[in-house]
Amino acid sequence: MSRVLVGVKRVIDYAVKIRVKPDKSGVVTEGVKHSMNPFDEIAVEEAVKMKEKKLASEVIALSVGPPQSQETLRTALAMGVDRGIHIEISGKDYEMLQPIHISKMFAKIAQDEKCDLIVLGKQAIDDDSNQTAQMTAAVLDWPQAVFASAVEKTDGGLKVVREIDGGLETITTKLPAVVSADLRLNIPRYATLPNIMKAKKKPIKKLSAADVGVDIKPRIEVISVEDPPIRQAGSIVPDIDTLVSKLKEAGHVK
Amino acid sequence: MFRAINKVAKNSKALKNQTEVIRCLSAQPQTKSKQTPRAEKAAKPNLSFVHNLFRGQVESSQVFPYPIALNQEQIEYVGAFVDPVSKFFSEVNNADRNDMNAQVDEETLKHLWELGAFGLQVPQELGGLELNNTQYGRLAEIIGMNDLGLGIVIGAHQSIGFKGILLYGTKEQKEKYLPKVSSGGVYAAFALTEPSSGSDAASIKCRAVKSADGKHYILNGSKIWISNGGIADIMTVFAQTEVLDEATGQKKDKVTAFIVERGFGGVSNGPPEKKMGIKCSNTAEVYFEDVKIPVENVLGKEGEGFKVAMNILNNGRFGMGMTLGGTMRYCIQKATDHATQRTQFGKKLESYGGIQEKLARMSVLQYVNQSIAYMISGNMDLGSNDYHLEAAISKVFASEAAWYVCDEAIQILGGMGFMRDTQLERFMRDLRIFRIFEGTNDILRLFVALTGIQYAGSHLKEVQKAFQNPAANLGLIFKEASKRASSYIGLGGVDMTGLVEPSLKNSAKLCGESIDMFARTVESLLIKYGKKIVDEQFLLNRLADSAIDIYAMASSLSRASSALKSNSPTADFEKLMVETWCVEASDRVRINLRKIHSAEFNENYKRMSVISKKLCEAHDIVHNNPIGV
């Protein structure tokens, strides 16, 4: 195996309380702390481990997004990724970008860079699409092993343990392939300060959507983004009989 | 230092000049030898705000506009460190466990080395992160929010332990030692204090004698209370050496700094001291028995060790302001959490005026402290050398503000604050040492007051000289005369309103008035006491407190002005805090200065001297209890 491509998405930090824009067109991102999508951190960790075990010769990280995505790439570089590619898309274009566009970009970069394996987070915590890995495999016509909780190199390819409903499924796949990382695949390292420093010197190539020949015209339209309904105040009932009758009243039990 | 004061008291005539007296008293090294011609001294103006404050002049170059020494790239660089350092504290380090075990476990230390926390300011090619002072301070803030004990492990190592090598080391010394201490797992310590030599650092007894062939020194003696003393393999050690005075041809004892490796042999240490706070930091006695130090391990020049020691301490002092800013932030978080959740008498605590006043004061102190600390680091990074009084003020201010803020946080939480789980009690214990070590606040107050007075005094002398030859010095005399005239008729010679944003004019006026009053007090003290002012500690302390309040006003005025100018989202809030601060601080200055002039208070100082004398004779209270049994 020679080259691994990982995806790193810049998302609103998991600890931030999300606020919806007053015009319901989306959520507030300005002045809000962003960080790398946690599932992508797991993907990066897996790729870097492969390199440390000499199973991969080079790890490339790709991020699609606004100029600040470079910071996310720097984090990946500090974690041990060798070089970064940034496809810059911002403003309205970025807001409307969908997994279909991203997967085409990953496919193109994987071919251009002659990658043998793509590792992606299973989903991003902002839009929760859970589509990019699957679509990328489809575009490339590569095998896919999604929701991986263990990845092992075998002679012919990979042995991947998948987290599925009700248990674990072990599959083997040939390479090249697309893997998506689930939560329990590994515990990602955090970047140390000396590595952050060294990451400053690692290269990041900047491209545009046109450079990779992907048409980013939106396929869908966002009609409205709304807050979840506010939880109603509860009340304390004196006994079980009252509780049951109240539940019946509200139509929760028959 | 107290020894020096006593000497002055006993025989003040014996001292040649005031400059000499105050140099002994000060924590500032004499940077120029006595042979330096006066003309050269005058060539380089002192740009320190606090120095010039004693002359009633606003030297604004280091205060306005608010100095930020970082460009966008440097801000991003340190910004990238904030997350991993915070994560280390939330995921790896356990401050409560460190405190309970009185040590940091190996695993945590290993993480800390990997994180790069031990070589923050060392050049990159020597294994460090090459942070400047402001960047270092930003990370220190995070440490202060989490674990002060661990902060001392890190700080004693690099802020003083090997700082001397960074500041004074030769190329060879740097290349030999810095990679080890920045990324090689080797701890460093700073060994100055001795059993008989605390604040009076020049009186140390450790001695290093040069071997006959001139290739080695043999070091003997012992040091106490050395942070990292039990774990350090590389130490900056200060000892007396015999130095030939080239001018007089006489041999004289002078302090020299050495880099001592434990591996030289003859270095040992006592058990870890049991302490009130910062328990996880190792503090131990260190003994030197016939330690053979190669001559190339002299740090700085032979005989200039006192200067090396003081510059290391001066250089590291700003970090305390940064660190304790973080501590205060933690205390405020805890206090506001409680105030917004706790209901008593049917209302949330936050709705009561008593709590509001506490929280407001806590926030204002945090802001003012942060303004001072970042101002000093900014100036240092911009190449200033005139920051020593400011750094001393920052240390005093930070350690006392943090103590107050933590104490009030505990008070707001009530019984909950007294419990170990809240962590405030640990911060309180840890904070106590900050008013003591790295120059006690008492000594630093005298340092600020006396260095300032000396500066004002030397200026007065120049004016006196000018009068001896008025024809040649007309300009100076007129300038002085007009300045004095305006201040005496109460117009106020100082106007700072032009330096701040218009909406802060009133606050700046309060600061300017304080400076006027302050300078007049300095002048009257000089006229009344002359060089005997060194004996008047009751007055000097009040003068120092006023200088601290004034510098704090100026720094925060500058920061808030910058915020207003750049339309920062918190600018209005900052303005609110600075207005609050200036009303209170200027009022305190007025009161403190009155207590210097007031006959009634001066009478009281005499009373207090008598009371203290009686106690010390009795080694006990002198009076009996009301029932006499």
Side-chain angles (χ1 to χ4, degrees), chain A residues 33 41 190-194 196-197 200-201, chain B residues 77 80-81 83-84 92 114-115 124 128-129:
Chain A
K33 189 184 173 207
E41 284 186 356
Y190 55 86
T192 67
L193 312 191
I196 293 173
M197 182 183 81
K200 281 208 311 183
K201 297 196 182 93
Chain B
Y77 185 47
F81 293 165
D83 264 358
V92 180
E114 274 170 14
L115 187 66
Q124 294 184 12
L129 297 168

Side-chain angles (χ1 to χ4, degrees), chain A residues 28-207:
Chain A
V28 178
T29 55
E30 249 172 78
V32 169
K33 189 184 173 207
H34 284 69
S35 49
M36 190 192 293
N37 174 36
F39 289 107
D40 295 347
E41 284 186 356
I42 298 171
V44 169
E45 175 68 28
E46 199 61 19
V48 170
K49 269 188 183 158
M50 284 181 183
K51 188 173 178 211
E52 285 168 349
K53 288 184 202 152
K54 312 254 186 257
L55 300 173
S57 60
E58 190 183 25
V59 180
I60 305 169
L62 169 62
S63 189
V64 183
Q68 300 94 312
S69 298
Q70 295 237 358
E71 291 166 22
T72 310
L73 278 170
R74 290 278 168 220
T75 306
L77 296 175
M79 288 171 75
V81 168
D82 297 297
R83 59 190 170 96
I85 298 172
H86 176 210
I87 300 179
E88 189 178 322
I89 298 174
S90 44
K92 201 78 198 150
D93 285 344
Y94 182 62
E95 280 170 31
M96 293 310 296
L97 212 59
Q98 292 294 318
I100 183 77
H101 307 120
I102 305 286
S103 56
K104 285 179 184 168
M105 292 176 194
F106 269 91
K108 178 77 168 87
I109 297 292
Q111 283 169 330
D112 288 355
E113 299 288 345
K114 299 187 174 50
C115 296
D116 311 276
L117 176 67
I118 302 176
V119 188
L120 301 172
K122 73 164 179 180
Q123 69 192 67
I125 61 165
D126 51 359
D127 57 19
D128 279 343
S129 292
N130 186 357
Q131 294 172 349
T132 304
Q134 297 87 331
M135 285 185 174
T136 305
V139 175
L140 287 163
D141 199 17
W142 286 4
Q144 56 175 285
V146 293
F147 316 140
S149 66
V151 176
E152 195 185 309
K153 179 82 174 63
T154 59
D155 288 343
L158 298 173
K159 188 167 102 181
V160 177
V161 180
R162 302 181 59 232
E163 297 203 7
I164 57 167
D165 285 349
L168 298 173
E169 178 188 63
T170 305
I171 60 167
T172 57
T173 168
K174 284 185 198 145
L175 286 171
V178 179
V179 170
S180 83
D182 213 324
L183 190 63
R184 280 162 283 268
L185 179 57
N186 58 46
I187 297 165
R189 69 195 69 190
Y190 55 86
T192 67
L193 312 191
N195 286 338
I196 293 173
M197 182 183 81
K198 285 172 201 150
K200 281 208 311 183
K201 297 196 182 93
K202 292 183 179 176
I204 293 178
K205 185 159 79 177
K206 204 164 110 180
L207 300 170

